[in-house]
Amino acid sequence: MMGMWVFLTVCNLILPVLMIILGRVFIKNPPKKINNVYGYRTSRSKKNQDTWDFAHLYCGKLWWKIGWSMLPLSVISMLPAIGKNDDFIGTLGAVIITVECSLMLITILFTERALAKKFD
């Protein structure tokens, strides 16, 4: 039972850690040129170099902050599952990762809104 808890807790930490790392990369070393392979790629962010640079800085800051907020909350949220059966642990882990994915996707809405406000 403890093995399942550890496994899902580690799995639930992957997204916050990735957001922290990519957030820092987007802030410090964003993709220099507009491309279709790597970076924050939406039609609005790829309009020109200014929108591209702004989108990476804005999204990077959001991911950095949200990732650091989600990291401890993900662990704390898994604490009630210690000693419970695998079904409970799995359900709780799935709920947490769903919330994490939703928060990450919401950052797209905020970044797009900021782009529209600044450039349209």
Side-chain angles (χ1 to χ4, degrees), residues 1-116:
M1 277 196 231
M2 194 64 180
M4 178 73 156
W5 183 87
V6 170
F7 173 74
L8 280 178
T9 300
V10 169
C11 288
N12 284 335
L13 294 178
I14 291 171
L15 191 58
V17 168
L18 279 174
M19 287 178 76
I20 291 167
I21 291 168
L22 288 174
R24 198 61 171 173
V25 168
F26 282 2
I27 293 167
K28 296 291 183 183
N29 291 326
K32 301 294 182 219
K33 296 183 179 185
I34 300 170
N35 68 78
N36 290 318
V37 178
Y38 165 69
Y40 183 89
R41 300 175 322 270
T42 63
S43 58
R44 186 171 271 140
S45 70
K46 295 191 303 183
K47 280 188 178 177
N48 60 55
Q49 193 63 44
D50 288 337
T51 58
W52 180 257
D53 295 338
F54 176 85
H56 283 86
L57 182 61
Y58 191 90
C59 184
K61 287 179 180 178
L62 278 179
W63 279 9
W64 174 258
K65 290 174 188 173
I66 292 171
W68 278 113
S69 299
M70 282 193 320
L71 197 64
L73 291 175
S74 297
V75 175
I76 291 167
S77 298
M78 284 297 290
L79 291 178
I82 293 176
K84 303 284 196 239
N85 64 41
D86 287 354
D87 287 340
F88 181 83
I89 295 168
T91 301
L92 182 59
V95 167
I96 293 168
I97 195 68
T98 301
V99 170
E100 289 176 348
C101 288
S102 299
L103 287 171
M104 186 189 74
L105 291 174
I106 287 170
T107 63
I108 296 169
L109 297 175
F110 283 111
T111 304
E112 290 299 302
R113 187 174 68 186
L115 279 164

